[in-house]
Amino acid sequence: MTLKKLPLVLLLSSAAFAAPMHYTITGNSMANFNFRVTLIPVPGETPDVQADLSFDPANLQKISGSIKVDLRSLNTGIALRDEHARNFLGVAEHPSAEFKISRISGIKKLQAGQELQGFAEGSFALKGVVKPLKAPIKVRFDGKTIFVTTKFDVVLKDHHINIPGADDATDVMVQFNLKSR
């Protein structure tokens, strides 16, 4: 083997054995939702978002893990409405909504200083009902922290949720920051 070929061989062999890094949420996270009941907007939020993801920023095609939103802490600003919402969502039996991510499309790798848009694909569980989900994501990387934002609709009847007078779908926005551990 010549000296000129050695660095390329080392680079290729180290890339082949690079393991995905493990990322968890750091700092502020928030899930917001907005739906209407009898034409009245009902905004709400929950600050309890947890993410546990494994991926390599240089190869986002191989990603696994989940993002969970604790529905027990949802807040619409009115305690009785919060209680009703938790009952409709079946929070006693299913305390969280969970997105299990299996693929990122539209973004191949993430480099410091970039802000990119693509899609997170996987399955979304709410009230014990699991449905496929492809959600648009915006990802920004400052070299240390990955900032993630997504916004998608949840069709309530798909999850066996029937709120009299409510719109068929609720828009949901989730924001979180990731750091490797």
Side-chain angles (χ1 to χ4, degrees), residues 3-153:
L3 237 39
K4 289 182 181 179
K5 292 183 181 179
L6 184 59
L8 179 59
V9 168
L10 287 176
L11 178 64
L12 290 174
S13 64
S14 66
F17 295 106
M21 293 186 69
H22 197 78
Y23 290 84
T24 55
I25 286 184
T26 181
N28 296 331
S29 63
M30 183 66 64
N32 297 304
F33 60 89
N34 192 20
F35 74 109
R36 288 193 314 246
V37 177
T38 317
L39 303 177
I40 299 171
V42 180
E45 65 185 22
T46 177
D48 195 357
V49 179
Q50 302 155 3
D52 188 18
L53 303 169
S54 293
F55 62 91
D56 177 359
N59 181 10
L60 290 177
Q61 306 306 302
K62 293 183 179 181
I63 186 168
S64 64
S66 67
I67 297 112
K68 288 184 182 180
V69 175
D70 190 335
L71 300 174
R72 296 172 294 194
S73 61
L74 73 87
N75 178 9
T76 66
I78 299 174
L80 183 58
R81 186 170 56 195
D82 296 347
E83 184 181 330
H84 289 166
R86 287 186 197 105
N87 288 337
F88 281 116
L89 295 173
V91 172
E93 292 178 16
H94 308 282
S96 62
E98 182 177 15
F99 178 58
K100 289 187 178 179
I101 188 166
S102 58
R103 184 169 184 263
I104 297 286
S105 61
I107 305 171
K108 293 187 181 197
K109 64 181 178 176
L110 195 55
Q111 296 175 344
Q114 288 185 319
E115 181 172 296
L116 301 169
Q117 294 183 19
F119 292 92
E121 299 177 40
S123 61
F124 179 72
L126 178 63
K127 198 178 176 184
V129 178
V130 180
K131 295 287 183 179
L133 178 65
K134 182 177 182 179
I137 57 171
K138 187 186 303 184
V139 181
R140 185 171 52 86
F141 185 40
D142 70 2
K144 294 181 183 177
T145 303
I146 300 170
F147 304 88
V148 181
T149 303
T150 183
K151 187 174 182 179
F152 56 92
D153 287 335

Side-chain angles (χ1 to χ4, degrees), residues 149-162:
T149 303
T150 183
K151 187 174 182 179
F152 56 92
D153 287 335
V154 174
V155 179
L156 299 176
K157 66 181 177 184
D158 286 352
H159 296 275
H160 307 289
I161 299 168
N162 183 17

